[in-house]
Amino acid sequence: MSRKAETAEARPPDTVSSVVRQWQAVRPDVDTGPMEIIGRINRCAALLQQAEDAPLRHAGLTRSEFDLLGTLRRTGRELTPGDLARETFASGAAVTKRLKQLQERGLVARRGDTRDRRVSHLSLTDEGRALVDEILPRQLSYEATVLAGLDGGRDAELSALLGELLSQLEGRLGGPRV
């Protein structure tokens, strides 16, 4: 028996296992290996988005809004809406909409460029910085709880494998984030 088959038998069945079995029954000539990985990544992402992040929800933020706030906090400098769109892989229109809401809540400040009135520079307000600093440890604790079911040390292995995949995809499809 292959290592892959032993691993599959050792874990409880998931939705993707069922889908793969169905495909193998009707198309045994097709290699479903990629589906077993990409399908699981997509399913995990969908479930994580569905569950929403409890600390963020409690603070009245979406993951996308927190990503913008977190980007401004971790870079420690003013960014333009275009910078934020590139950093968060969001569309310019989505960033503009989220920034308007965050500005209305007093979490983000906007400063016009002295040389080009079309450009604005964004930064966190004191309230925005305090909110990010308050939420981040709770959010990371929540995420640790989500991952707690992985056997000891497997989270580091999974992180390394996903990092390798992401690096390859960014190299081929989207360029690395800098």
Side-chain angles (χ1 to χ4, degrees):
M1 184 182 302
S2 72
R3 181 161 161 56
K4 185 176 171 181
E6 288 174 14
T7 305
E9 286 182 16
R11 72 173 173 258
D14 59 43
T15 304
V16 174
S17 298
S18 175
V19 169
V20 167
R21 277 194 308 278
Q22 291 169 342
W23 275 115
Q24 288 173 342
V26 298
R27 289 294 310 268
D29 58 313
V30 175
D31 175 13
T32 58
M35 180 186 300
E36 295 177 47
I37 296 169
I38 302 298
R40 286 189 174 97
I41 290 171
N42 287 336
R43 181 80 174 137
C44 285
L47 289 170
L48 288 169
Q49 285 177 339
Q50 227 175 47
E52 291 195 27
D53 302 300
L56 301 181
R57 189 174 57 245
H58 180 71
L61 292 171
T62 65
R63 168 60 82 164
S64 301
E65 291 169 335
F66 185 71
D67 285 348
L68 292 178
L69 295 173
T71 300
L72 287 167
R73 179 67 174 117
R74 69 183 162 77
T75 60
R77 60 185 172 84
E78 291 183 329
L79 297 173
T80 66
D83 294 333
L84 284 168
R86 280 186 295 281
E87 279 287 323
T88 61
F89 293 105
S91 71
V95 167
T96 298
K97 179 181 175 186
R98 291 176 193 134
L99 284 172
K100 183 176 186 276
Q101 293 167 337
L102 294 170
Q103 236 184 309
E104 288 171 359
R105 288 183 61 185
L107 302 173
V108 172
R110 183 182 300 260
R111 178 183 66 78
D113 191 285
T114 55
R115 293 176 299 198
D116 186 345
R117 291 184 306 170
R118 296 170 298 173
V119 176
S120 61
H121 300 275
L122 303 151
S123 61
L124 289 176
T125 62
D126 290 342
E127 184 181 344
R129 182 177 295 104
L131 182 63
V132 172
D133 288 349
E134 175 190 332
I135 292 174
L136 183 63
R138 292 196 326 243
Q139 181 63 25
L140 291 173
S141 176
Y142 171 80
E143 291 174 2
T145 301
V146 168
L147 297 172
L150 293 176
D151 294 335
R154 305 277 319 266
D155 54 341
E157 179 184 358
L158 178 58
S159 178
L161 290 169
L162 289 172
E164 185 179 328
L165 176 62
L166 181 58
S167 181
Q168 288 178 23
L169 290 173
E170 286 177 340
R172 275 188 246 149
L173 306 174
R177 286 173 53 169
V178 197

